[in-house]
Amino acid sequence: MVELVVLSGCATYPSAHDHVIVFNGEMTRTEGEFRMNGTLNFYLGTAGNRTISNLTVTLYDENRQQISGFDVGTISVNGTRGPVQQRVTIESETAPTYVVIESPDVWRARDVQTSGYVWNGDRYEEYTVASLENRFGE
């Protein structure tokens, strides 16, 4: 006998109180070159409205030294809409080990998380970034 349970409903992202900024799209690494094409999505948590200025996507090498940074600008989220999206297209002749979505506003806020990505030898794996100290996934 096989039982099938079907649940319906609407899931929200994030499920916590924090706001979350994540990348949705493609990251490719070929012959030492890197390309990132998609959107940054700012999901509203239950923590209230938030504006993040000086948002950047920063590329780091295996020694955690900055290769380059790409200014995304300001992204805001409020209770009347979301997720807010910001288009991102990045090309680099140097393939990064780490790709980090970051901002001084995020480091000061206790209710915003971003995403980082680390090259595992095959693809970029996502991890949560909640502070400057853990921007490399520690």
Side-chain angles (χ1 to χ4, degrees):
M1 173 197 249
V2 175
E3 284 186 48
L4 177 62
V5 178
V6 178
L7 302 174
S8 66
C10 179
T12 58
Y13 186 82
S15 60
H17 298 287
D18 291 345
H19 302 302
V20 179
I21 302 172
V22 297
F23 173 71
N24 184 15
E26 292 182 338
M27 278 190 237
T28 57
R29 179 179 173 145
T30 56
E31 298 179 23
E33 295 182 353
F34 173 78
R35 180 169 169 81
M36 180 177 188
N37 188 27
T39 58
L40 291 183
N41 299 291
F42 194 178
Y43 292 93
L44 176 68
T46 59
N49 299 339
R50 178 66 68 201
T51 297
I52 300 297
S53 301
N54 303 313
L55 188 65
T56 62
V57 176
T58 308
L59 309 181
Y60 294 95
D61 66 15
E62 66 278 356
N63 297 316
R64 300 176 178 178
Q65 299 298 312
Q66 182 176 337
I67 297 169
S68 56
F70 298 89
D71 182 35
V72 178
T74 299
I75 192 165
S76 296
V77 67
N78 63 49
T80 61
R81 59 186 180 142
V84 174
Q85 296 181 335
Q86 188 81 323
R87 188 99 180 108
V88 176
T89 300
I90 296 171
E91 292 183 8
S92 173
E93 292 181 5
T94 304
T97 300
Y98 297 93
V99 178
V100 182
I101 302 166
E102 56 189 348
S103 163
D105 285 356
V106 170
W107 307 148
R108 287 187 290 272
R110 299 232 184 258
D111 61 355
V112 179
Q113 296 179 357
T114 66
S115 295
Y117 304 85
V118 62
W119 180 252
N120 71 5
D122 185 45
R123 64 182 173 82
Y124 284 95
E125 290 182 1
E126 183 179 8
Y127 59 89
T128 299
V129 178
S131 69
L132 177 64
E133 293 76 25
N134 85 331
R135 67 183 160 166
F136 298 109
E138 288 98 32

